[in-house]
Amino acid sequence: MYLTNKSIPEFKNLPKEKRQDLWKRFNRKGYGHWQVWLSLFFMGLCTGIGTLTNRTIASSIDADFILKSSIGTGIGAGLGSLVFSQVMIENLRPYFREELDLPPLNLEGRKSNWRIYFWFSAIYFLLVLVGVLISPSELLQYFNILFYLIGMFGLWGFTYNRSIIFNSFWKIYLFPLILWDTWIWIIDYPEFYESMIHLTSFDRAVIYLFLILLQFPLYFALFMYAFRSPNLWNLHSE
């Protein structure tokens, strides 16, 4: 994870002035990649979700200081900015290496964007887990946490090229996961709907869009892990 520009491998042994100069010169090139624009949109979406969450909590417990403090907005913007910065740096690294006369990155087996998605999903999962543990929750929510936790193990295996459990398990798991999420979020999650009663149609649309953007890559990753990674499973079965 890149927390500062010193965390970039190509910048490790460079003086501060050189790092700043390279960043200023090549920063604009990052916007030539669609992944950067998608992450920028995602950052705005996270900020919006944080604002809506802040408003929902403040109105539900009648706490004006929460609404005024914009804590949720700050958290959402922070998470979105983290994802944006990781995507930007990953797309700029080839330019840095070319400028510094370093050999090109070996892209075989690299899943940089998937690593970003994995860690964002892990942070989101921990936030949800904390929310479930510190507040009264129904049994259904604990099952949901368990189901999602299994998916996180599969996502980790796909991202870091590790065989977890066995191939047939993930082929069986994927379809029930999609059905479970559909049932939870669309059919039978009364608390979810109750929390959105006071929201406008636009606000609800933003929340559903966020959930789709968060979950769909997980389905795709697990599909690729189960059905399109024969070399990974064959390697670890030898």
Side-chain angles (χ1 to χ4, degrees):
M1 182 176 291
Y2 312 113
L3 299 179
T4 66
N5 60 14
K6 286 190 68 174
S7 304
I8 303 173
E10 291 75 18
F11 286 6
K12 185 176 181 180
N13 298 316
L14 298 179
K16 180 178 179 181
E17 295 75 14
K18 182 65 173 179
R19 296 197 304 267
Q20 292 177 341
D21 177 63
L22 285 172
W23 184 262
K24 290 179 181 178
R25 287 168 55 195
F26 291 99
N27 183 45
R28 292 184 179 181
K29 288 185 177 292
Y31 293 96
H33 298 266
W34 65 267
Q35 296 95 330
V36 173
W37 286 103
L38 181 62
S39 65
L40 186 62
F41 169 75
F42 190 74
M43 180 174 67
L45 192 62
C46 287
T47 304
I49 291 293
T51 301
L52 291 176
T53 303
N54 201 89
R55 188 190 309 166
T56 301
I57 295 175
S59 60
S60 62
I61 63 176
D62 194 23
D64 290 339
F65 74 93
I66 295 180
L67 185 61
K68 294 178 181 178
S69 66
S70 299
I71 296 175
T73 303
I75 294 175
L79 290 176
S81 298
L82 178 63
V83 173
F84 172 73
S85 66
Q86 304 305 299
V87 175
M88 172 65 85
I89 292 173
E90 279 293 342
N91 282 278
L92 289 178
R93 285 186 63 193
Y95 299 109
F96 297 149
R97 297 186 72 86
E98 182 179 1
E99 177 68 15
L100 297 170
D101 293 324
L102 297 173
L105 287 169
N106 179 16
L107 298 179
E108 183 178 358
R110 283 177 54 85
K111 297 177 180 177
S112 302
N113 293 330
W114 283 111
R115 289 203 296 271
I116 295 169
Y117 172 73
F118 168 77
W119 284 109
F120 178 83
S121 298
I123 294 172
Y124 174 78
F125 172 77
L126 289 176
L127 292 175
V128 173
L129 179 61
V130 170
V132 170
L133 293 178
I134 66 176
S135 61
S137 303
E138 296 182 356
L139 185 62
L140 180 66
Q141 291 178 307
Y142 291 105
F143 275 115
N144 189 44
I145 290 292
L146 177 61
F147 228 59
Y148 194 75
L149 178 61
I150 295 173
M152 289 298 297
F153 277 111
L155 178 61
W156 179 83
F158 171 74
T159 302
Y160 290 94
N161 297 317
R162 298 290 189 271
S163 56
I164 307 297
I165 311 178
F166 47 87
N167 184 225
S168 299
F169 172 83
W170 299 107
K171 291 180 178 179
I172 297 172
Y173 168 80
L174 178 58
F175 185 63
L177 172 66
I178 296 174
L179 288 180
W180 176 268
D181 283 344
T182 302
W183 182 60
I184 284 291
W185 294 111
I186 298 180
I187 300 176
D188 190 37
Y189 200 165
E191 293 85 356
F192 180 66
Y193 288 105
E194 289 173 4
S195 67
M196 296 203 302
I197 289 177
H198 67 284
L199 300 180
T200 66
S201 298
F202 176 79
D203 290 344
R204 288 194 291 268
V206 169
I207 291 176
Y208 276 116
L209 180 59
F210 175 80
L211 293 173
I212 291 172
L213 288 176
L214 184 68
Q215 289 297 99
F216 183 78
L218 174 63
Y219 304 148
F220 180 78
L222 293 179
F223 172 81
M224 297 297 293
Y225 190 50
F227 296 96
R228 294 293 186 268
S229 302
N231 293 334
L232 171 63
W233 296 104
N234 292 337
L235 176 65
H236 291 274
S237 63
E238 294 177 354

